[in-house]
Amino acid sequence: MSVPVITRFAPSPTGALHLGNVRTALFSWLYARRHGGRFVLRIEDTDRARSEPAHEAALLAALQWLGLDWDAGPGRDDLAGPYRQSERGAAYAAAYSRLEAADRAYPCFCSSLELELARKAALLAGRPPRYAGTCAGLDGAGRDRRRAEGASPSLRFRVAAGPIEYTDLVRGPQRFEGADLGDFVIRRADGTPAFLFSNAVDDAQMRITHVLRGEDHVANTPRQRLVIEALGGTPPAYGHLPLLIGAGGAPLSKRDGAASLASLAQAGYLPGAVLNLLARLGHRYADDGWLEVPALVAGFELAALGRAPAHFDEAQLRHWQKEAVQHAPAGVLEAWAKGRVPPGAEQAFVAALRANLLLPADAAEWAPIVYGELACPPPALGALLAGAGTPFWEAALAAIAAGADYEALVAALKATGAKGAALFKPLRAALTHRLDGPELARLLEVMSRSTLTLRLEAAHRLAAGAP
Ligand code: GLU
C-alpha cells in the first residue's frame, strides 16, 4: 500500500506573506491535492520576539483568499497537532531527552565569544567554520563542573563522519560529508529550539512525505535528515525551489512592497491571476493558457519543476489578471462597479466594459466617462474635434436625436463623407474625451442619450468656433 501524500506549509509569522512563500504554499497544496493527500499548515513561531498574532491572522486570511485550504493546522487540530510551534514544547523536550539518552546530543558550554573566535580562526586558516567539538568529549563530571560555574549550555547534535546522500526532488542527487557539517545546535542556551530542529521534529511527527520549499533551505536538509533518522523517523522527500527573482535581478523579499500578497489583493488582483502566475514560476504546464484551479491541480507534476531562476514580473501579473477578469463571474466585477455607477447599472457596465477592466481602479476611471458630466473636452483634443467640421457633429446629433444605434450613427457620419480614422477618432474623442478605450459600439450600449447629446454638443461648439 502506498503512503498517502502529506505536504505542509510552514511559515513564520514575522511579516507580510510575500510571493515566494505563497508559491511554496501553492506548490505544496497542488501536490497534495493532485494526489488526494493532505495539506498541513504549521505556524513556525519559535522566534517569539518577531512573531506576531496579527501576522499569523493575515497569513491565514491570505491562504483562504487564494483558496488554499488546509486539512490540519491552527484551528483544525488532530492527533499530530498542535500546529503552532510555540505550543509544541513538550514534543521538543521529549525529542531532546531521547537524543541525549542515546548520546546523539550533548550539552555545549562554549560561549558565543569563544565560538566566534574559533569561527574567525578557522576562516583565517582557510578551514570551513564548523564547530570544533570542544564539548563533545566532556564527561558527566566535566558537565557538572561547568553547570556549577553557572554556565547554561546549548544542546548539540553529534554528527557522525561519513556521507549523507539523498535525492532532491528538484536538484537531483545530493551528497554531504558528515565531517564537514560539524555538530550543530538543536537547542539554544536560552532553551528555545533551533529552527532546523523544531522544523525536522515536526515534519517527522506530522508524517510529512514531501517538503517543497525555497532553495535557501538546501543546507539545512542534511542536518534535518540526520535528526529525523536519529529519532527513528523516515525523512520526507525534499524539493528545493529556485528563489523568485524580482525586476532588479535580486531575490524577491519581504521588503518588496509589490511582492506582498496583501498589496496585490488590495489593488484588486484576483486570486486566479496570482495562482496562474505563481504556478508557473519554477513549474511548467503543458498548457500555457489560462487554467482554472482543477486544471492547475491536474497538471502539477514534480517532474515539471525546474531549476532555472524564476522571474516575477509585473507584465506577467497583468497578463494573468487580464485573463482572470475575462474568466471571472460577472458578480466579482460588478462589485468593482458598485457605488461608482448609477444603482442598477452594474451589470450592463461590466458587460460592456469587461475587456477594459483590469483592476477596480479601471472601473473607477470609466464610470464617470460613461455616466458622469465631463467638463469641456481637454485642449489637446480641441483641434481634432474642431477639425471634424460642423456638418459631422450636426449629423451625429441628428442621428442620436432620432434614436440611432451605433450602426445607424456610423452610417449617418459616413453620409457626410467622413471615413476611417477621420470618423472614429473624433467620435471617440467627443464621447469619452480620450483616444483609447472600449469599443464605441459597447459604449453606446451603456451611455444615455442625454450624455451622448451633451458630449456631441460640446464638440459641435468647438467646431463652430463658439467659446
Ligand atoms: N519557517 C520556515 C520558513 O518560513 C520554513 C521552512 C521550511 O519550509 O522548511 O522559511
Side-chain angles (χ1 to χ4, degrees):
M1 205 182 72
S2 67
V3 182
V5 165
I6 307 182
T7 65
R8 50 62 163 185
F9 177 46
S12 304
T14 54
L17 196 56
H18 70 95
L19 291 182
N21 283 339
V22 179
R23 196 255 320 237
T24 298
L26 173 62
F27 283 18
S28 302
W29 182 87
L30 286 169
Y31 191 66
R33 295 291 171 259
R34 167 83 171 82
H35 293 278
R38 286 164 63 75
F39 175 64
V40 170
L41 174 61
R42 180 173 76 227
I43 304 295
E44 302 212 321
D45 57 351
T46 51
D47 183 345
R48 301 307 294 156
R50 291 174 58 230
S51 296
E52 281 179 30
H55 291 315
E56 180 187 315
L59 77 86
L60 299 192
L63 294 178
Q64 278 160 348
W65 180 77
L66 282 169
L68 306 185
D69 55 335
W70 52 96
D71 303 299
R76 292 207 68 160
D77 275 312
D78 58 12
L79 288 180
Y83 287 94
R84 243 178 236 110
Q85 288 192 326
S86 56
E87 296 163 16
R88 297 183 58 77
Y92 308 139
Y96 292 132
S97 300
R98 281 185 61 185
L99 294 175
E100 276 192 286
D103 198 32
R104 297 302 307 272
Y106 61 86
C108 168
F109 296 90
C110 298
S111 69
S112 40
L113 181 64
E114 285 165 337
L115 293 171
E116 185 54 23
L117 290 175
R119 203 182 73 87
K120 288 210 168 115
L123 285 175
L124 276 176
R127 284 181 280 115
R130 57 168 183 264
Y131 180 59
T134 319
C135 295
L138 273 185
D139 57 11
R143 291 174 188 167
D144 289 346
R145 197 179 58 249
R146 297 301 304 265
R147 282 203 177 88
E149 289 163 9
S152 53
S154 62
L155 193 66
R156 279 188 191 269
F157 187 87
R158 206 185 280 285
V159 180
I164 303 159
E165 292 178 288
Y166 53 92
T167 299
D168 187 289
L169 297 169
V170 181
R171 302 161 69 87
Q174 305 286 304
R175 185 190 159 101
F176 293 83
E177 230 356 279
D180 290 341
L181 299 182
D183 297 346
F184 54 90
V185 171
I186 53 177
R187 185 180 63 212
R188 299 190 193 90
D190 67 4
T192 57
F195 152 73
L196 62 78
F197 178 80
S198 48
N199 180 277
V201 167
D202 289 351
D203 281 344
Q205 293 200 349
M206 295 170 186
R207 301 193 182 288
I208 304 302
T209 57
H210 297 76
V211 169
L212 297 176
R213 61 183 178 184
E215 67 187 9
D216 46 333
H217 290 292
V218 164
N220 292 325
T221 310
R223 295 175 175 85
Q224 294 187 306
R225 292 182 59 95
L226 290 177
V227 167
I228 292 173
E229 281 166 352
L231 289 167
T234 307
Y238 293 87
H240 289 91
L241 309 166
L243 298 185
L244 298 194
I245 306 294
L252 273 196
S253 79
K254 285 183 186 174
R255 286 177 294 279
D256 270 297
S260 107
L261 187 69
S263 63
L264 297 184
Q266 201 166 0
Y269 284 94
L270 296 171
V274 177
L275 294 175
N276 268 272
L277 173 74
L278 292 182
R280 292 174 165 93
L281 292 180
H283 178 272
R284 264 223 316 257
Y285 281 92
D287 182 342
D288 56 15
W290 169 261
L291 295 175
E292 296 289 348
V293 172
L296 288 173
V297 169
F300 187 81
E301 302 291 347
L302 292 180
L305 294 173
R307 284 198 63 176
H311 286 270
F312 164 83
D313 85 73
E314 208 61 47
Q316 262 175 31
L317 176 63
R318 294 176 75 81
H319 163 76
W320 289 116
Q321 173 72 357
K322 205 167 166 50
E323 290 286 328
V325 167
Q326 296 315 308
H327 290 87
V332 170
L333 306 177
E334 286 164 21
W336 293 1
K338 211 167 174 57
R340 294 178 165 132
V341 303
E346 294 86 357
Q347 206 181 340
F349 177 77
V350 166
L353 274 85
R354 188 187 277 258
N356 295 83
L357 302 178
L358 192 70
L359 291 169
D362 300 305
E365 188 173 334
W366 281 98
I369 296 176
V370 173
Y371 302 104
E373 289 178 24
L374 295 186
C376 298
L381 298 179
L384 174 68
L385 296 172
T390 49
F392 181 88
W393 300 117
E394 275 155 17
L397 280 161
I400 293 299
D405 61 8
Y406 175 69
E407 313 280 300
L409 171 64
V410 171
L413 291 172
K414 281 192 173 152
T416 69
K419 59 174 195 259
L423 187 163
F424 295 105
K425 238 175 129 174
L427 181 60
R428 174 181 291 285
L431 296 184
T432 65
H433 295 189
R434 294 177 49 148
L435 294 173
D436 60 350
E439 286 173 39
L440 287 172
R442 311 307 314 264
L443 279 173
L444 253 74
E445 288 165 15
V446 278
M447 290 174 74
S448 72
R449 295 279 131 179
S450 61
T451 303
L452 292 170
T453 306
L454 286 171
R455 305 263 167 96
L456 292 169
E457 280 173 355
H460 180 256
R461 275 197 302 279
L462 274 171

